[in-house]
Amino acid sequence: MGLEKRSTIGVNGWPVPLTASAVTPTTAQGVSAVYACVQAISETTASLPLILFRRGEDGDRERAADHPLYRVLHDMANPEQTALEFREYMQAAVLLKGNAFARIVRGYDGQVRELWPLNPDNVQVRRTPSGLVYEYSKEGTRTTLLAHECLHLRHRLGDDGVLGVSPIAAARGVVELAIAENQHGVSTFTNGAKMLGVLRFPGKLRPEQRQAIGASWASQHAGAANAGRTAILEEGVEFQALSMSLEDASWIEARKLSVIEVCRLFRVPPTIVQSMESANYSNSVELARQFVTMTLRRHLIGWEQAIAAKCLTEAGRRTYFAEHQVEGLLRGDSVNRAQFYSSGISDGWLMRSEARKLENLSAIEGIDDAPLSQKSVPAPLPYPSKQ
């Protein structure tokens, strides 16, 4: 049985049960909590710098800015889309549809030059003896891509071992309930947020009289524009309320619970989507850190491993690797950062020039050669890491 929307009025004032709308990525985004969770994850993931590094000696690393893939991941994914726009679309597709696909365009030297996102609704994946094959259809044209020609991001892997399962597909009932509650609220406030009731007449009415009175009452008292108008009843007519108010039916509380339920699906702290009922400064700061370490971490690693598997060769993976720069989200406020840098410099594992680089400040020649001050140093702080 589907969920019911009881705010539509039928014959003689009785509510007509209607099945709630089907849950699709489009209808799910009509729920503000779903849209906010998807935007929080996709926007944050896309806005983080995704850097291609070159491994050096003794475990050191440097930015591989001269590699063609560096520009694709950091600046322009293709001639029409920036890296942020491309990654935001791909991440949203993973969350809403469970899968995201991008066509890989390589240059004459075999290096990735462009990444073009594909609509997941138009992609079919087949398993063949030689590996996965991706068939993309658009405007009557079908294109076949081999495994190394398609960047495939998945949410939690499904039972077939090929496609991912989105949160809204795995817990469809949670989103369906939120949609039904939203529809109930829209219909109720469209009808003026008034109690349902009946008009009691002293005598029997003919069918045409009932229709005329019903139309006249709806034109004068239904809708938000008519809210608060005074009804004028004649010839012994009485209005008798039948239903409870929204507060009595705990509709508002149910709406709040739906926000929490949706946040559970996407593993997003409620404060991130502006659900502030139980928020304070202390837990908001900690929940923001948990958003990075517990929510984003899985998606960031998924991106990094997919890039290594599809955009780099076996030899390239031994030299290059892609990694997101999340320190900016984890390093805290200016006071904590100052204490962290001070403790690192005094203990000898951080250079002053490195601290300025972390703060995106210009280099000062000879700053590392200046003697350390003798003022008291605060207790060392742990280094912020996405691990």
Side-chain angles (χ1 to χ4, degrees):
M1 295 182 63
L3 299 172
E4 294 181 349
K5 179 178 70 176
R6 297 184 177 273
S7 55
T8 299
I9 307 305
V11 180
N12 296 328
W14 288 97
V16 178
L18 296 175
T19 302
S21 302
V23 178
T24 65
T26 301
T27 59
Q29 291 186 89
V31 178
S32 62
V34 173
Y35 185 87
C37 287
V38 172
Q39 286 301 100
I41 297 175
S42 59
E43 288 179 354
T44 307
T45 301
S47 62
L48 286 173
L50 180 55
I51 307 300
L52 184 70
F53 288 100
R54 181 185 294 108
R55 291 185 176 90
E57 298 179 357
D58 300 328
D60 197 7
R61 63 180 180 177
E62 62 178 357
R63 294 194 178 203
D66 56 341
H67 196 285
L69 183 59
Y70 182 96
R71 178 181 175 274
V72 174
L73 300 179
H74 188 268
D75 300 320
M76 295 291 296
N78 56 67
E80 297 180 1
Q81 298 168 344
T82 65
L84 184 145
E85 294 169 341
F86 165 76
R87 289 160 55 199
E88 183 180 18
Y89 174 84
M90 293 281 287
Q91 187 61 59
V94 170
L95 297 170
L96 293 171
K97 303 179 181 181
N99 299 272
F101 306 93
R103 180 168 60 91
I104 301 174
V105 177
R106 289 182 165 85
Y108 67 94
D109 55 356
Q111 303 296 340
V112 176
R113 290 299 198 282
E114 298 172 4
L115 291 174
W116 289 89
L118 306 176
N119 187 346
D121 296 334
N122 299 333
V123 178
Q124 293 183 343
V125 186
R126 294 188 297 106
R127 187 188 295 274
T128 66
S130 59
L132 297 180
V133 173
Y134 300 85
E135 295 182 349
Y136 177 66
S137 301
K138 182 179 181 180
E139 300 177 353
T141 302
R142 173 171 294 185
T143 304
T144 301
L145 302 175
L146 301 180
H148 68 277
E149 298 175 318
C150 183
L151 178 65
H152 185 186
L153 300 175
R154 306 178 179 92
H155 205 270
R156 190 186 66 186
L157 197 62
D159 294 335
D160 59 0
V162 175
L163 296 176
V165 180
S166 69
I168 61 175
R172 190 178 302 271
V174 173
V175 181
E176 190 174 16
L177 178 59
I179 292 175
E181 292 170 352
N182 185 58
Q183 291 175 343
H184 169 72
V186 170
S187 297
T188 300
F189 281 97
T190 300
N191 290 323
K194 290 183 176 294
M195 297 181 180
L196 298 179
V198 296
L199 294 175
R200 178 177 294 179
F201 289 83
K204 184 177 181 180
L205 298 177
R206 296 189 300 273
E208 58 272 17
Q209 289 178 315
R210 284 198 296 267
Q211 293 180 1
I213 293 173
S216 175
W217 182 272
S219 65
Q220 297 182 42
H221 302 288
N226 295 323
R229 295 186 63 178
T230 301
I232 300 175
L233 305 179
E234 300 178 296
E235 298 182 359
V237 179
E238 299 179 1
F239 177 80
Q240 181 177 353
L242 296 179
S243 67
M244 296 182 295
S245 66
L246 292 178
E247 290 77 9
D248 293 335
S250 299
W251 176 78
I252 294 178
E253 292 300 322
R255 292 274 290 165
K256 292 180 180 178
L257 181 60
S258 291
V259 174
I260 303 299
E261 291 286 287
V262 171
C263 288
R264 288 194 183 109
L265 295 184
F266 293 94
R267 293 173 56 85
V268 173
T271 55
I272 300 296
V273 297
Q274 306 304 310
S275 179
M276 312 297 287
E277 284 77 12
S278 58
N280 55 57
Y281 178 78
S282 299
N283 63 16
S284 296
V285 173
E286 181 59 29
L287 289 175
R289 290 179 178 271
Q290 290 185 10
F291 176 63
V292 178
T293 57
M294 302 182 64
T295 304
L296 297 182
R297 184 170 182 264
R298 189 266 176 219
H299 300 291
L300 300 182
I301 293 178
W303 272 94
E304 293 165 4
Q305 293 185 351
I307 291 171
K310 296 298 186 70
C311 298
L312 294 172
T313 63
E314 181 66 29
R317 287 191 289 270
R318 291 194 292 266
T319 305
Y320 300 97
F321 66 96
E323 186 175 88
H324 292 84
Q325 302 295 289
V326 300
E327 287 75 13
L329 296 177
L330 292 172
R331 61 187 181 182
D333 56 31
S334 58
V335 175
N336 288 330
R337 295 202 309 273
Q339 293 178 353
F340 163 71
Y341 295 143
S342 179
S343 61
I345 293 172
S346 63
D347 290 343
W349 55 265
L350 182 68
M351 305 294 289
R352 290 173 174 175
S353 59
E354 295 174 332
R356 292 186 62 84
K357 187 175 182 180
L358 289 174
E359 288 294 311
N360 292 322
L361 299 175
S362 58
I364 298 179
E365 185 176 357
I367 189 174
D368 293 328
D369 300 330
L372 296 176
S373 61
Q374 300 300 321
K375 64 181 181 179
S376 60
V377 177
L381 296 178
Y383 185 79
S385 171
K386 69 177 181 179
Q387 301 298 330

